[in-house]
Amino acid sequence: GRPTSIHTQRVLWALADADLPYELTLASATMGPQGHVSKGGTPFGVVNTPAYLAMNPNGTVPTIDDNGLVLWESNAILMWLALRHAPDLLSGDAQQLARAVQWMTWINGRVEPLLHTLVMELVRLPEDKRDPAKVEQARIEMLDALGMLEACLADRAHVAGNRFTIGDIPTGAAVYRWLVFDLERPSMPKIAAWQARLAEHKGFCLHVAPREFHLAG
Ligand SMILES: N[C@@H](CCC(=O)N[C@@H](CS)C(=O)NCC(=O)O)C(=O)O
């Protein structure tokens, strides 16, 4: 994967929190050390090699190989890491775990397309290719979606209940990226307090908090 990928960050966060050893291979068809290909940057590559495509035919990041178990889709990877190596992340409660999966699925379907528009239009595309109308539309839709999360956090410390679970990882990283962007937004105090709780996690501090992982492009 790559450190600027919001999906790779999920996996790195879980690995760091659980103190699991790993080796990261930098890989991407769109980003490299100098930024996005649309700005002339050279991508890390790897994802378009036959060996990588045999592991992940999508050619996307992240992919893991955990002692021979090859997996793609970051939420499935989080589930595996928790089941095998960090069961605390599953909360020990079936209802909470189901709610965690609900928020993990929601963030992918409802929030990530908006976040993708924002990162492309604010960071990655060359300035003459950007469209402020797309940013404004995504900003409005983000506020609508995040209103739901603010309401959810009114009576609980984390998205699935009072315990930190795998559900907080994809949602926490996505909302952090949104907060890094310099956009007009009303204050959402429950989300702010939840983000402060997430910032106590080693994985968040190492792999999500650095602003350059969101603004480098
Ligand atoms: N739903 C997939 C999404 C994977 C995905 O779209 N990854 C992006 C990076 S965040 C990617 O591979 N972009 C193209 C690239 O870097 O080559 C997951 O959660 O793992």
Side-chain angles (χ1 to χ4, degrees):
R2 56 177 163 85
T4 52
S5 146
I6 199 89
H7 303 101
T8 303
Q9 288 172 12
R10 298 173 180 185
V11 177
L12 295 173
W13 177 348
L15 289 168
D17 271 14
D19 279 323
L20 296 169
Y22 65 88
E23 187 188 326
L24 174 68
T25 303
L26 292 172
S28 174
T30 61
M31 295 279 291
Q34 295 87 30
H36 197 267
V37 288
S38 65
K39 286 185 183 153
T42 312
F44 293 119
V46 178
V47 292
N48 42 13
T49 60
Y52 191 89
L53 290 168
M55 293 199 301
N56 180 352
N58 301 292
T60 52
V61 293
T63 304
I64 63 155
D65 179 345
D66 184 1
N67 280 313
L69 175 73
V70 173
L71 267 185
W72 39 267
E73 280 298 337
S74 55
N75 285 346
I77 296 170
L78 288 179
M79 184 61 82
W80 164 255
L81 293 176
L83 282 165
R84 173 50 66 98
H85 304 287
D88 282 358
L89 290 175
L90 303 174
S91 87
D93 175 85
Q95 287 193 7
Q96 282 200 38
L97 179 56
R99 275 204 298 267
V101 173
Q102 168 195 282
W103 286 107
M104 293 163 84
T105 310
W106 177 82
I107 206 86
N108 277 20
R110 175 117 189 232
V111 170
E112 284 196 349
L114 305 173
L115 213 50
H116 180 71
T117 299
L118 292 173
V119 78
M120 292 307 292
E121 297 293 330
L122 295 171
V123 178
R124 292 187 183 159
L125 287 175
E127 292 198 11
D128 61 342
K129 297 262 166 28
R130 297 182 189 178
D131 180 351
K134 287 187 183 165
V135 173
E136 182 56 7
Q137 183 65 29
R139 185 187 73 86
I140 289 167
E141 290 182 36
M142 275 297 281
L143 291 178
D144 192 37
L146 293 183
M148 287 177 57
L149 188 59
E150 178 73 3
C152 157
L153 291 167
D155 67 350
R156 62 190 67 168
H158 291 94
V159 296
N162 283 325
R163 292 182 62 165
F164 176 81
T165 64
I166 49 172
D168 293 291
I169 295 179
T171 46
V175 172
Y176 182 82
R177 176 165 288 193
W178 152 256
L179 292 170
V180 164
F181 296 141
D182 185 17
L183 292 169
E184 196 185 325
R185 57 174 73 85
S187 86
M188 293 194 177
K190 303 293 180 192
I191 286 180
W194 167 68
Q195 285 277 311
R197 285 189 281 278
L198 299 183
E200 292 168 11
H201 287 256
K202 181 165 105 178
F204 179 94
C205 295
L206 288 174
H207 300 296
V208 179
R211 293 168 63 87
E212 65 270 23
F213 292 164
H214 308 281
L215 298 176

